[in-house]
Amino acid sequence: MKNDKTTNNDNGNSHKQEAKRKIALLTGTTGQDGAYLAEFLLNKGYEVHGLKRRASSFNTDRIDHLYQDPHESDVRFRLHYGDLTDSTNLIRVIQEVQPDEIYNLGAQSHVQVSFETPEYTANSDAIGTLRILEALRILGMEKKARFYQASTSELYGLVQETPQKETTPFYPRSPYAAAKLYAYWITVNYRESYGMHASNGILFNHESPLRGETFVTRKITRAVARTVLGLQDRLYLGNMNAKRDWGFAGDYVEAMWLMVQQGQPEDFVIATGETHTVREFVEAAFGRAGVRIEWSGSGIEETGRVAAIEPGSPAAKAGVLKTGQTIVAVDPRYFRPAEVELLLGDPSKAKERLGWEPRVKFHGLVEMMVDADLMAQQREMYLKSGGYEVKNYFE
Ligand code: NDP
């Protein structure tokens, strides 16, 4: 465990700090943001409790480095089985943990998947948020625990104004966004009705090497690494003209925490203020590995070919790709039934009120993700080429 209880000791007196130690409860702890936020809060001296879903295989990869043996004396990170679709479980965990702060990050968070599982998405993302807020009221904790809701730029959907800010009207374009719209308003409603310290962070897309492999940015950076190393022939994508404001998850979890520390609860847009197309992300990602792409065709016929390979780059060293080879193509199966064409956030309120600004911008983010995926894919290759294989001792 790399976090130690004296790390953030304001006055050097660990007994005093012990008395003041804050308790945070996170839903979605096993996800991208949950992992970054848990580590961030542990580094701030918090006791962190996370909700984890029961799964038939391990689902704690992203937080395994934070794990503490429950037999240790000063355990500050604990996981509890739970689910946003189970009210009784949420009431019991909140009662047991008695959190000062709750960060509701848990959600069926994939837009495309929400078209396939709209009812479940509404249950976990919309009603799940209500369940937590009601649990706080049932337990008489509505004035004790502060609440953060993971709202999303997808609320803007068919955008009514660019750039989007806190006052821009919403127009959700997916079951995911419609569910998150309910969660947004029920959070506002509980704040206004019961005086709860409840805030919405309207976060624009944020990514990292921990991003799930089916989200477009990670799908791209993973495919870049695999294509360059000869493990994959082609990357298939949907709408390459979609424009997004992409930031780094590590920066965005700090904004969540800052919102919860404010004297008054409020809603904030968190974004970089830059927008790029998916195509630009692909170009930058392949560029990082040393591959220049040239595009031809349009619409579903569009393809990306290798135009040049930079000498000394990872692609040149791997020696697999050839100029002229097609490595990117469109697959209409990845088109959304209703598209969100352009997202661009205006984070001025967060800058002014929270003193928050993104440290990592577009190119830094792409580089971080490609480098991590190149390392991960190479590690796998080396293990295989080094003769590592699991022996069957029963044969
Ligand atoms: P992830 O998909 O990486 O993580 C989602 C988390 O929610 C996982 O821990 C998942 O558990 C958990 N979860 C899913 N369903 C349930 C359920 N029914 N009960 C309890 N937990 C559940 O998402 P991110 O970390 O990227 O995002 C965090 C939050 O922020 C989400 O609410 C997302 O919608 C929102 N958001 C994200 C943005 C982004 O760009 N990343 C942008 C704006 C908002 P398991 O690991 O078991 O699947």
Side-chain angles (χ1 to χ4, degrees):
M1 181 77 205
K2 50 183 152 183
N3 304 295
D4 121 11
K5 70 172 182 180
T6 55
T7 317
N8 288 287
N9 190 351
D10 295 335
N11 52 12
N13 182 332
S14 64
H15 292 295
K16 272 195 182 166
Q17 193 211 3
E18 192 89 37
K20 285 193 300 192
R21 180 182 285 171
K22 279 194 181 168
I23 301 174
L25 173 64
L26 279 54
T27 68
T29 338
T30 54
Q32 169 189 258
D33 291 6
Y36 279 102
L37 183 63
E39 184 155 7
F40 176 86
L41 294 174
L42 287 167
N43 284 332
K44 287 251 169 241
Y46 277 65
E47 180 177 315
V48 178
H49 294 256
L51 211 62
K52 129 178 137 155
R53 294 198 291 177
R54 194 270 157 182
S56 64
S57 49
F58 289 122
N59 60 355
T60 55
D61 279 13
R62 295 185 177 103
I63 48 170
D64 281 345
H65 63 294
L66 304 174
Y67 175 78
Q68 278 182 303
D69 186 333
H71 304 101
E72 282 177 23
S73 57
D74 184 34
V75 180
R76 287 202 293 121
F77 184 52
R78 289 178 199 273
L79 294 176
H80 306 257
Y81 280 111
D83 200 294
L84 285 162
T85 59
D86 181 343
S87 306
T88 54
N89 157 266
L90 293 169
I91 294 170
R92 185 180 50 73
V93 172
I94 293 172
Q95 185 173 37
E96 211 171 288
V97 170
Q98 291 288 313
D100 300 298
E101 298 172 7
I102 298 183
Y103 296 84
N104 183 31
L105 310 180
Q108 190 303 92
S109 67
H110 203 285
V111 174
Q112 188 91 35
V113 173
S114 78
F115 287 99
E116 309 287 328
T117 61
E119 183 181 334
Y120 173 71
T121 303
N123 193 3
S124 53
D125 299 15
I127 307 301
T129 307
L130 174 70
R131 288 186 183 104
I132 297 181
L133 292 166
E134 263 306 286
L136 287 171
R137 246 166 43 85
I138 290 166
L139 295 167
M141 290 174 65
E142 66 269 34
K143 292 278 167 47
K144 175 188 184 289
R146 295 185 171 198
F147 179 77
Y148 171 85
Q149 170 57 20
S151 286
T152 166
S153 54
E154 289 287 329
L155 294 175
Y156 297 117
L158 192 62
V159 297
Q160 310 291 302
E161 177 185 33
T162 298
Q164 295 91 51
K165 45 185 185 278
E166 290 78 3
T167 50
T168 302
F170 297 137
Y171 193 132
R173 294 267 282 172
S174 61
Y176 166 74
K180 286 281 189 178
L181 185 75
Y182 176 86
Y184 172 92
W185 280 116
I186 202 69
T187 300
V188 173
N189 183 250
Y190 271 56
R191 175 169 80 212
E192 293 174 353
S193 305
Y194 306 115
M196 286 181 65
H197 196 296
S199 307
N200 283 289
I202 308 171
L203 270 53
F204 281 62
N205 294 61
H206 46 282
E207 322 293 316
S208 75
L210 298 185
R211 187 64 145 147
E213 286 93 347
T214 57
F215 290 91
V216 71
T217 53
R218 184 72 199 290
K219 180 175 165 181
I220 294 169
T221 59
R222 190 167 176 271
V224 165
R226 292 177 62 78
T227 309
V228 159
L229 297 172
L231 301 168
Q232 177 175 333
D233 294 332
R234 201 166 288 184
L235 163 64
Y236 289 98
L237 292 168
N239 180 8
M240 281 199 276
N241 296 318
K243 288 180 135 183
R244 291 291 181 272
D245 180 330
W246 281 296
F248 171 49
D251 287 346
Y252 285 33
V253 298
E254 185 181 6
M256 297 175 189
W257 176 76
L258 285 168
M259 277 178 230
V260 175
Q261 309 317 307
Q262 294 303 293
Q264 293 303 317
E266 272 185 275
D267 307 322
F268 289 90
V269 160
I270 301 299
T272 67
E274 264 185 39
T275 192
H276 297 270
T277 60
V278 171
R279 190 180 297 99
E280 283 169 337
F281 197 106
V282 174
E283 284 169 3
F286 271 108
R288 176 64 178 174
V291 180
R292 187 160 63 76
I293 293 204
E294 74 186 351
W295 302 98
S296 55
S298 62
I300 59 168
E301 304 294 329
E302 183 170 5
T303 55
R305 289 198 305 268
V306 178
I309 297 170
E310 195 184 312
S313 66
K317 286 180 189 154
V320 176
L321 288 179
K322 311 246 174 310
T323 49
Q325 194 176 329
T326 299
I327 51 175
V328 187
V330 173
D331 183 341
R333 276 184 310 170
Y334 297 124
F335 290 152
R336 292 181 187 180
E339 254 308 337
V340 172
E341 291 293 344
L342 164 70
L343 293 176
L344 171 63
D346 174 359
S348 336
K349 180 179 170 189
K351 184 177 175 187
E352 194 187 307
R353 304 277 273 281
L354 306 176
W356 179 88
E357 274 187 282
R359 293 184 195 98
V360 180
K361 292 285 187 92
F362 180 71
H363 286 285
L365 176 69
V366 173
E367 286 171 14
M368 179 197 303
M369 292 178 71
V370 171
D371 292 1
D373 273 321
L374 268 170
M375 287 293 285
Q377 295 297 328
Q378 278 182 86
R379 203 174 302 126
E380 212 169 287
M381 272 181 63
Y382 286 145
L383 286 175
K384 282 189 189 142
S385 67
Y388 171 80
E389 56 176 324
V390 179
K391 300 252 183 309
N392 184 351
Y393 291 108
F394 296 103
E395 273 179 356

